[in-house]
Every structure is written in structure tokens, then in C-alpha cells.
Amino acid sequence: AQSVTQPDIHITVSEGASLELRCNYSYGATPYLFWYVQSPGQGLQLLLKYFSGDTLVQGIKGFEAEFKRSQSSFNLRKPSVHWSDAAEYFCALKTSYDKVIFGPGTSLSVIP
Amino acid sequence: EAQVTQNPRYLITVTGKKLTVTCSQNMNHEYMSWYRQDPGLGLRQIYYSMNVEVTDKGDVPEGYKVSRKEKRNFPLILESPSPNQTSLYFCASSGGPNQPQHFGDGTRLSIL
């Protein structure tokens, strides 16, 4: 079955600390993977995407993600978190055409 | 400006009263989708469309209808809304199967 899991429902970090948000997927073929961010009351903004090639992907706002096929993971990282990064983060898997499966999301709180 | 536009942004209505949420994109995208977002469940795909007159069910299509008569428009129709359809709805479009989706700002529906 195709699925996306985000093990952490909520994470709290201090401003300036590093961040890693976990994402695991289940899919039998090469996945198209995305990370989106949603600020309160807003739509979803694309942070980065992975289709093929280099397994370390750079995105906007200083985020990066690493695709690890052997672990079926696509974890999102940021070396130094800013207070404005507080938001909901979604990992998503696109399997074919426009069939997309989202994870349940991880809520990030940032302590000043 | 490239955008996906949804209307209305907010709607409170009663059980059984037919409603339509419109979605329009100005990017000439072939692919469009509808999602609902519920706490703890992330976004779940309702329907998607690969082109004019081509639609397919997502994960939660029950109680919804869609149509794709023009490339730019993809309305979501609730013919007999029920309270369990109270949710935040997002429309999205993409330029191809390996392209990320662009999201609208969302429509918050309350069915009493």
C-alpha cells in the first residue's frame, strides 16, 4: 500500500537550534517526494522536491532534505531555525499523474 | 501572477443544500486536484483531473462530484452536504506528473 508517515506530531525547538523533521514513505517504484509548509490560515507552500538524481535536495528558506531509498525516508533539515519557521510541515508522495498522498503533518513550535 | 483561485473562502450552510466551490488556475496546467484537510489527518485527495473531461477518484470521493469542462476550471460540487463534510478544502494544479502542485488559499466549509 502507498502511504506517507510523519512520526512526530509536534516538535518544539529553540530559535537557532537545528531541526530535522522525519518522513517515511511506502511505494513500490521511484517516488516523487515533496515537503510543503503551511502557516496558520494559509495555503501550502512548496519547500522542496525530489524526483531523481542527487539525493540531497536544497529548497527555499534554508531547508534541505535527503532522500534515502534504503530507509524509505525523506527527512527535512534546517541548520538554524528562525521564529518565523513555526508552522505545519507536510511530506507528500506523488505516485502517478496527479495522485498525491500527504503525511499527517508535523507542527513546529519555536521557542525564542 | 500565477495563482490558483478558490471561491468562496468561507461558507456556512445547512445540511442538504447543494453547494459549489469554484477553482480556477491561470497557469495552463493540465492537472488539477481537490483536497480536504482535517486535524491529525493531513490533506486527503478527493478527486483529481488529468485533463479536460478526464477525472478520477482520490482517497475520499464519497459525497463529492467534480467536473472539468474547461482546462482552467475545476469546481467541487456537494449535492447534499452533511456535517461530516465540514472541513478546510484546497484546490491545486500542476503542470505535469513530475511537477509540484500549486495550492489555492483554501475554502473553509461549515455544514450545520
Side-chain angles (χ1 to χ4, degrees):
Chain A
Q2 302 155 359
S3 65
V4 176
T5 57
Q6 294 179 245
D8 304 304
I9 296 173
H10 186 260
I11 286 181
T12 300
V13 300
S14 298
E15 193 168 17
S18 63
L19 171 70
E20 181 169 30
L21 301 182
R22 296 182 291 164
C23 172
N24 293 97
Y25 69 92
S26 174
Y27 183 54
T30 300
Y32 298 145
L33 294 162
F34 308 87
W35 275 99
Y36 288 88
V37 60
Q38 184 182 31
S39 298
Q42 303 294 313
L44 279 78
Q45 181 182 23
L46 179 70
L47 285 175
L48 46 78
K49 60 188 179 186
Y50 172 79
F51 293 142
S52 64
D54 195 348
T55 57
L56 187 61
V57 180
Q58 301 297 320
I60 63 171
K61 303 186 179 186
F63 286 93
E64 66 177 26
E66 186 171 12
F67 172 67
K68 292 185 177 180
R69 185 185 299 276
S70 61
Q71 298 179 18
S72 297
S73 70
F74 187 56
N75 294 348
L76 181 71
R77 299 195 294 248
K78 187 170 185 178
S80 178
V81 171
H82 188 262
W83 64 266
S84 61
D85 293 325
E88 187 94 16
Y89 291 81
F90 293 96
C91 181
L93 165 69
K94 198 173 198 185
T95 59
S96 63
Y97 299 107
D98 228 28
K99 183 81 170 71
V100 182
I101 301 168
F102 279 82
T106 296
S107 177
L108 174 67
S109 296
V110 180
I111 301 173
Chain B
E1 178 189 354
Q3 59 185 3
V4 177
T5 303
Q6 299 177 224
N7 281 296
R9 292 292 312 281
Y10 304 91
L11 178 63
I12 301 174
T13 187
V14 296
T15 299
K17 185 176 181 181
K18 181 180 178 179
L19 68 90
T20 299
V21 184
T22 63
C23 174
S24 180
Q25 51 94 4
N26 63 0
M27 295 167 278
N28 200 37
H29 283 169
E30 290 187 346
Y31 297 85
M32 298 186 74
S33 289
W34 275 104
Y35 296 88
R36 61 178 289 172
Q37 183 179 18
D38 302 289
L41 297 176
L43 281 80
R44 293 178 293 168
Q45 198 169 31
I46 302 171
Y47 271 95
Y48 59 102
S49 169
M50 290 77 80
N51 212 327
V52 174
E53 302 291 4
V54 182
T55 63
D56 205 352
K57 296 178 180 179
D59 295 320
V60 288
E62 294 78 18
Y64 304 95
K65 285 178 57 177
V66 293
S67 69
R68 188 90 181 275
K69 297 189 184 332
E70 305 167 283
K71 197 172 187 178
R72 65 182 290 125
N73 296 322
F74 190 45
L76 179 69
I77 302 158
L78 285 71
E79 298 227 328
S80 184
S82 62
N84 64 10
Q85 293 177 299
T86 292
S87 187
L88 178 59
Y89 291 84
F90 286 100
C91 180
S93 72
S94 71
N98 62 347
Q99 298 299 313
Q101 294 180 313
H102 298 258
F103 284 82
D105 288 335
T107 296
R108 187 167 292 282
L109 287 183
S110 294
I111 316 294
L112 304 178

